[in-house]
Amino acid sequence: ITVEFAMNEPGVVRCSLDAAPAVECSSPFTVSDLGEGRHSLSVQAQDLADNTSAPTELVWTMDFTSPQISFAELTPAARDVNVQDLRAVIDSNEGAVLSVRLNGNLLPITTSPVVLSGLAEGSYQLEIQASDSAGNLSNTLAHSFRVDLTAPQLTLSALDLRDPVNI
């Protein structure tokens, strides 16, 4: 992370990262290899007459962990269904925004449950991914299914009555 700051007169600036003892620093102040979690930087200026400014603090969170999501409920869960609606409840280990695609098309659904209704007959590929506030992307959940609303047709093609049995 890089932080820039400026003084309006000559003097010294001291920085304290994560409550460590303050040390002289200059702008831009750059630090790398910070671990995941909450961090803070306190910056304080002192002029040549020993006047000291109030500390200015910057607080931020480093988040490198992707959210983990799973289907908590999928109704219907079968691959071949005879209904036009599908409902998926998504579990996530953290607050996240969903990205839902049906056959590659992004849908305007960003929260759980994911409800699809009025589906026409045909094959579908549902894909759901989550992103957290830091922009980390989850695994992608996928469910392939086929909506079939047409009953099969049955045709009798032959009836052999040569050996009748009380028909």
Side-chain angles (χ1 to χ4, degrees), residues 33-117:
D33 298 329
L34 288 175
E36 190 158 356
R38 188 174 190 261
H39 296 279
S40 65
L41 175 67
S42 180
V43 181
Q44 193 168 28
Q46 183 177 17
D47 66 15
L48 298 177
D50 286 336
N51 297 308
T52 303
S53 72
T56 300
E57 188 171 44
L58 174 66
V59 177
W60 71 96
T61 301
M62 301 295 284
D63 179 0
F64 309 112
T65 303
S66 298
Q68 299 298 309
I69 60 173
S70 61
F71 286 116
E73 175 189 325
L74 184 61
T75 308
R79 299 284 182 211
D80 291 292
V81 299
N82 65 350
V83 295
Q84 293 180 284
D85 303 324
L86 180 129
R87 182 175 191 268
V89 177
I90 309 302
D91 267 348
S92 178
N93 65 333
E94 63 178 286
V97 174
L98 299 180
S99 172
V100 179
R101 293 186 179 277
L102 186 63
N103 291 350
N105 298 309
L106 184 63
L107 302 179
I109 301 170
T110 58
T111 59
S112 180
V114 173
V115 178
L116 306 176
S117 56

